[in-house]
Amino acid sequence: GYIIEKITGKEYSAVLKEEITDLLKLKNTSTVLPDNLAQGYQPFLYYPIIPITPKYNKVDIPAGYINSNANDLSKYLRELMNSYNNDTTSVISKNITDELFKPNDKNDSHYALGWGNIEYKDTKTFIHDGLTQGFNSAVIITPEIEKIIIVLTNNYGESATTTSLGLLSILLDKEPTKRSKVLFYIIRSLPFLVLF
């Protein structure tokens, strides 16, 4: 965000609006907290039951405080997928998506510019997840089968990523990966362990 502001001489939110939300007609995406934002929850032990009201600092916005909804995200992700697949109707340049999804070759990382670039169950997959105060999200683009997955939750945890990969497994007609819950229960039991 800082680099964008330095290069453009504009606020990050103004650049987001001019370069992305206006271009793609994303009417429910901005850096402003909407009035109808769902209540977010933090976990206590094993369940997300503690209500939390997110607080914004301007410097945090590029790192995870852009508000959107499933409709706007589907438009955005479809444009990215179409561009990556070289669809000439996309308003996003193929050069941009090639760079966006290109993993870092220098350190053999699967991480691109904010996107995980992975082979999930033998299918090229781009995944981005996020975790903020009381909210968790995950989005997946699978250009080979031309599908996108969006999971938005109002609880702080990793449920969105697990759910999105489970949905992708179903779309690919593969068995979902079973994740161990041991670490989850150990972390959530820390208050008991500390008291003990």
Side-chain angles (χ1 to χ4, degrees), residues 15-55:
V15 176
L16 176 74
K17 186 174 183 323
E18 290 170 15
E19 298 291 332
I20 297 176
T21 60
D22 284 354
L23 179 70
L24 298 175
K25 297 179 177 63
L26 306 178
K27 296 182 173 134
N28 296 297
T29 302
S30 77
T31 59
V32 178
L33 273 174
D35 293 332
N36 61 347
L37 183 69
Q39 175 65 59
Y41 292 91
Q42 294 284 86
F44 177 72
L45 300 178
Y46 314 114
Y47 304 101
I49 59 172
I50 302 170
I52 185 166
T53 302
K55 294 181 175 66

Side-chain angles (χ1 to χ4, degrees), residues 50-129:
I50 302 170
I52 185 166
T53 302
K55 294 181 175 66
Y56 274 46
N57 289 315
K58 181 185 163 208
V59 297
D60 294 330
I61 290 171
Y65 289 89
I66 298 171
N67 295 288
S68 193
N69 64 17
N71 288 335
D72 276 9
L73 283 172
S74 65
K75 288 179 193 175
Y76 174 66
L77 297 174
R78 183 138 324 264
E79 284 294 330
L80 288 177
M81 182 175 64
N82 288 345
S83 171
Y84 182 82
N85 283 341
N86 215 15
D87 182 334
T88 56
T89 64
S90 177
V91 296
I92 300 173
S93 162
K94 173 94 165 103
N95 293 337
I96 289 173
T97 50
D98 284 348
E99 192 64 30
L100 185 65
F101 297 131
K102 182 173 75 177
N104 186 341
D105 295 334
K106 292 180 183 169
N107 62 7
D108 198 31
S109 171
H110 295 286
Y111 193 68
L113 295 176
W115 289 89
N117 181 336
I118 61 172
E119 289 286 323
Y120 183 77
K121 305 209 181 266
D122 302 319
T123 303
K124 169 70 82 183
T125 303
F126 304 123
I127 185 168
H128 176 82
D129 53 7

